[in-house]
Amino acid sequence: MPQTHKVLGQSNPSATTLTTLYTVPAATQTICSSLAICNTGSTATTYRVAVRPAGAAIATSQYLAYDAAIDRKSTRLNSSHEWISRMPSSA
């Protein structure tokens, strides 16, 4: 089966709001190879990322990142399961 690379979703959720970014279609599989989290605000903050099985309520065991810190005006990039932190040159 050929592999197709694409953007699965983008979101700018409200604070403290659980947001579904992507739902895998039925009878398919999806591999998420990269995840970028950007803080465009002027103060540091935290974020959470979870992978939730279909129909399941969110649970602590499903979090990949829980209250992880991100500096102001910075980006966290997850690629190949390794968290990398970057500060833009304009920060």
Side-chain angles (χ1 to χ4, degrees):
M1 174 185 271
Q3 292 183 358
T4 302
H5 297 272
K6 59 184 174 180
V7 174
L8 299 178
Q10 297 178 3
S11 179
N12 185 11
S14 300
T16 67
T17 301
L18 288 176
T19 303
T20 299
L21 184 61
Y22 182 74
T23 301
V24 179
T28 64
Q29 295 179 350
T30 300
I31 296 172
C32 180
S33 62
S34 300
L35 177 65
I37 295 127
C38 304
N39 178 9
T40 59
S42 59
T43 59
T45 191
T46 60
Y47 64 92
R48 298 175 181 181
V49 176
V51 176
R52 183 174 52 100
I58 196 71
T60 304
S61 62
Q62 298 161 342
Y63 281 94
L64 303 174
Y66 192 90
D67 287 346
I70 184 167
D71 290 331
R72 65 179 187 85
K73 299 187 183 219
S74 66
T75 299
R76 298 271 300 186
L77 176 64
N78 174 294
S79 182
S80 301
H81 309 289
E82 184 177 323
W83 287 102
I84 302 167
S85 185
R86 282 198 251 176
M87 286 291 287
S89 57
S90 63

